[in-house]
Amino acid sequence: MQDMIYTGSSVATMIKGDKPYGLISDATFVVQNKRIAWVGKTADLPARFVHMKSEDLGGRVVTPALIDCHTHLVFAGSRALEFADRLGGASYQEIALNGGGIVSTVLATRNATDEQLVTQSLRRLDCLIGEGVAVVEIKSGYGLTIEDELRMLRIARTLATLRPVKIVTTWLAAHAIPPEYRLRADEYIDQIAIPGLQRGVKEGLIDAVDGFCEEIAFSAQQIERLFKIAKSLNIPVKLHAEQLSDQKGALLAARYNGLSADHLEHLAATDVAEFASSGAVAVLLPGAFYTLRETKLPPIQQLRKHDVDIAIATDCNPGSSPLSSIITAMNMACTEFLMTPEEALTGVTRSAAKALNLSKQFGVIAPGVVAELAVWNIDHPAELSYWLGGCVLYKRISQMVEA
Ligand code: NIG
Ligand code: FE
């Protein structure tokens, strides 16, 4: 990437302050050594930069590159028939208890070759990249043996060598109980989830640990045993919490200094203050809410009141959220959860970076952060939540790709 001055844009810095979106109109920013060196009003550009090569962005809006902080993007096959069953009245829980749901994707994923998994995953990843996404979190959770879970994470890491994107990997062996451990969830935690975590950490494959805390998956006690090991290994935790019922998972994640608790439709309003005091991010997943035709909203007002950082993600997965469009997720956050367009954009930039422990490098436009930006064919940043998907990206400015 060349050092360059970019003039002629409106820059949504997404820095917290008085101005919505941290917006600077008539802005210029300077990229030097793959970092942002300066951003401000064009009229204020310091003389030391004026000799540099420059590009006029034609009045477009610039934001930090987007971040999808919760996906299950590596998997094989689809669950279109389960979708049809659900529309016919079967619930997500019933399907799971009858051996379908997550377990059916586990069988498809175990049976797929590495090449098939890479090809299918790249299709979804390319959709995200085409919408200005530069950082994607990808979870394991469709292998459910030590080898298959580690294979998923290796494939996730491989994707970053094939595309200009940063991939963050999460150990989600505690996602479902595989058929061979039916009714033996504790043994599964002891024999697969924990030893696999220890091995994956040794191999440098794991950035964080996640679990599915739910009646149809793992109890808070079982998740806590896994979290204790994560803590001893110095790996941060996060949790699928309160998606279908209130298991007090968000408070468990908070007690373990979690990066985030995700879903949260059933988080009790009275638990928000305690959750907030931990500093964890609330990751909301409107694609899953929409797909499962949920009706109970996450406690947004309480989250706002207690100043919890709220991130938005696609939850890209074949069951509850077959969604590879972060722009659509932003729109859904507004239409379904009544978030503001500014909250939605914050949710896929600054707050998403915080949920991945990447706040110093990504998520805002400020001197020192990595030069990962998105330039949009729009006049105002609110448009990013307004368009229901679609092609609004003009281009990325990226240190991972020669733009
Ligand atoms: O985030 N809740 C658990 N995991 C996914 C769904 C996975 C699946 O159905 O395959 C979720 O919604
Ligand atoms: Fe998920």
Side-chain angles (χ1 to χ4, degrees), residues 70 72 139 240 263 285 315 317:
H70 179 141
H72 310 246
K139 304 172 193 296
H240 285 70
H263 286 288
L285 305 166
D315 196 14
N317 77 69

Side-chain angles (χ1 to χ4, degrees), residues 196-321:
L197 168 62
Q198 288 160 328
R199 226 183 93 189
V201 169
K202 239 185 230 146
E203 292 183 26
L205 284 171
I206 296 176
D207 297 314
V209 172
D210 195 350
F212 187 19
C213 187
E214 197 56 65
E215 269 160 37
I216 55 169
F218 297 92
S219 69
Q221 281 154 328
Q222 287 159 346
I223 298 288
E224 182 160 13
R225 290 203 287 118
L226 182 64
F227 278 6
K228 282 196 170 127
I229 306 293
K231 193 174 172 190
S232 73
L233 295 167
N234 241 329
I235 300 290
V237 302
K238 55 175 89 175
L239 193 59
H240 285 70
E242 279 73 81
Q243 179 185 13
L244 307 168
S245 62
D246 185 4
Q247 305 282 323
K248 305 293 172 200
L251 295 185
L252 173 66
R255 276 206 308 285
Y256 279 79
N257 224 340
L259 291 172
S260 68
D262 303 35
H263 286 288
L264 301 180
E265 284 88 337
H266 292 261
L267 173 63
T270 44
D271 286 338
V272 174
E274 187 179 337
F275 178 73
S277 65
S278 76
V281 176
V283 178
L284 303 186
L285 305 166
F289 179 90
Y290 167 86
T291 302
L292 300 184
R293 306 185 73 236
E294 297 289 347
T295 50
K296 191 171 182 328
L297 293 170
I300 310 264
Q301 283 301 357
Q302 294 295 318
L303 294 170
R304 282 185 182 126
K305 184 174 145 205
H306 291 280
D307 224 4
V308 175
D309 290 302
I310 302 176
I312 302 295
T314 61
D315 196 14
C316 173
N317 77 69
S320 67
S321 190

